């Protein structure tokens, strides 16, 4: 397992950051303030910012890493410590499936966001989707002490959540290229998506 974690850390993680920074940069509007919820070390936000100097990032997480790429504030994982309508966009990158109640945190994001929400997460679709996602989560997060309850949603659950928030996808992408072609057949397929959400009537 240590060998797999080392391979992930040295190769897969860098490819993931590069690919996600490109996708998310495309989804984030010009000249916006972005709250990265569950930002970890802040490395992904830092990578996006290097190519998008018009964006202003802040980050919160339930754990504080020894090294961070931007200021990160601790929060309780449930209530976002900001006033309503106080940031342009709230961003979740592989965070919501780590929570016991993704809907509650999405509602918090809708409360504090003026314009929208950007999400990278998983789809519980395809053969052995649950075990595959659980394995990926363990490899990517166990060494950091991140809890992985495996709260993965099917496409219909995401759509119902967006409707509850009175938001709709402006962009939706599933072919993210997070893994080399051979590995993508197992760990990519239909298991990942990124989307940008806008409030109904604002898209």
């Amino acid at each position: 397992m240590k060998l797999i974690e080392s391979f992930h850390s040295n190769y897969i993680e860098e490819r993931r950051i590069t690919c996600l920074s490109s996708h998310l940069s495309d989804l984030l509007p010009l000249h916006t303030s972005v709250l990265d919820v569950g930002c970890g070390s802040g490395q992904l936000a830092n990578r996006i910012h290097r190519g998008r100097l018009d964006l202003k990032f802040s980050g919160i997480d339930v754990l504080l890493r020894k090294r961070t790429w931007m200021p990160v504030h601790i929060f309780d994982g449930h209530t976002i410590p900001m006033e309503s309508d106080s940031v342009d966009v709230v961003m979740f990158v592989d965070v919501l499936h780590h929570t016991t109640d993704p809907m509650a945190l999405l509602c918090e994001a809708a409360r504090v966001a003026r314009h929208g929400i950007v999400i990278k997460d998983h789809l519980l679709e395809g053969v052995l989707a649950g075990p595959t996602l659980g394995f990926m989560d363990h490899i990517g997060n166990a060494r950091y002490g991140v809890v992985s309850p495996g709260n993965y949603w099917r496409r219909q659950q995401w759509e119902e959540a967006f409707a509850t928030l009175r938001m709709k996808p402006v962009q939706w992408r599933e072919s993210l290229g997070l893994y080399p072609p051979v590995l993508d057949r197992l760990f990519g397929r239909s298991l990942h998506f990124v989307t940008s959400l806008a409030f109904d009537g604002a898209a």
Side-chain angles (χ1 to χ4, degrees):
M1 190 63 72
K2 291 292 184 181
L3 181 62
I4 296 175
E5 288 182 354
S6 178
F7 174 75
H8 183 277
S9 179
N10 295 326
Y11 182 59
I12 299 298
E13 193 167 329
E14 175 58 30
R15 181 185 177 102
R16 173 183 177 273
I17 290 172
T18 299
C19 290
L20 285 181
S21 63
S22 177
H23 287 295
L24 295 168
S25 180
D26 288 346
L27 267 57
L28 291 166
L30 288 170
H31 306 293
T32 55
S33 57
V34 183
L35 175 65
D36 188 356
V37 179
C39 63
S41 68
Q43 185 178 10
L44 178 59
N46 177 267
R47 183 73 63 88
I48 298 169
H49 186 250
R50 280 159 52 183
R52 289 285 309 276
L53 296 179
D54 59 294
L55 300 175
K56 181 180 180 181
F57 281 93
S58 57
I60 59 175
D61 205 310
V62 297
L63 299 172
L64 185 61
R65 304 281 178 91
K66 290 182 179 180
R67 180 189 180 190
T68 61
W69 297 75
M70 67 178 185
V72 178
H73 300 282
I74 295 294
F75 85 118
D76 63 9
H78 304 287
T79 303
I80 295 177
M82 298 182 69
E83 298 294 327
S84 298
D85 301 319
S86 58
V87 67
D88 292 323
V89 175
V90 175
M91 184 170 78
F92 296 104
V93 180
D94 286 332
V95 168
L96 293 168
H97 63 267
H98 286 285
T99 71
T100 56
D101 190 351
M103 194 65 226
L105 200 50
L106 279 169
C107 287
E108 273 292 282
R111 177 184 66 81
V112 304
R114 285 188 288 265
H115 301 310
I117 302 173
V118 169
I119 300 170
K120 154 62 177 80
D121 217 285
H122 296 307
L123 290 170
L124 188 63
E125 293 188 353
V127 178
L128 297 176
T132 303
L133 291 170
F135 174 77
M136 288 192 293
D137 260 345
H138 179 77
I139 295 301
N141 295 292
R143 63 186 181 276
Y144 299 118
V146 177
V147 176
S148 298
N151 203 355
Y152 311 117
W153 280 1
R154 300 184 184 279
R155 188 185 304 271
Q156 182 179 350
Q157 290 174 280
W158 286 110
E159 292 172 349
E160 290 172 351
F162 301 158
T164 298
L165 295 172
R166 297 183 179 179
M167 304 186 78
K168 58 184 177 181
V170 178
Q171 295 192 58
W172 179 282
R173 300 180 184 181
E174 293 180 28
S175 298
L176 305 185
L178 300 180
Y179 304 93
V182 174
L183 293 179
D184 195 60
R185 296 173 186 172
L186 179 60
F187 299 115
R189 36 184 175 129
S190 60
L191 299 175
H192 306 265
F193 74 90
V194 293
T195 188
S196 59
L197 305 175
F199 294 100
D200 280 346

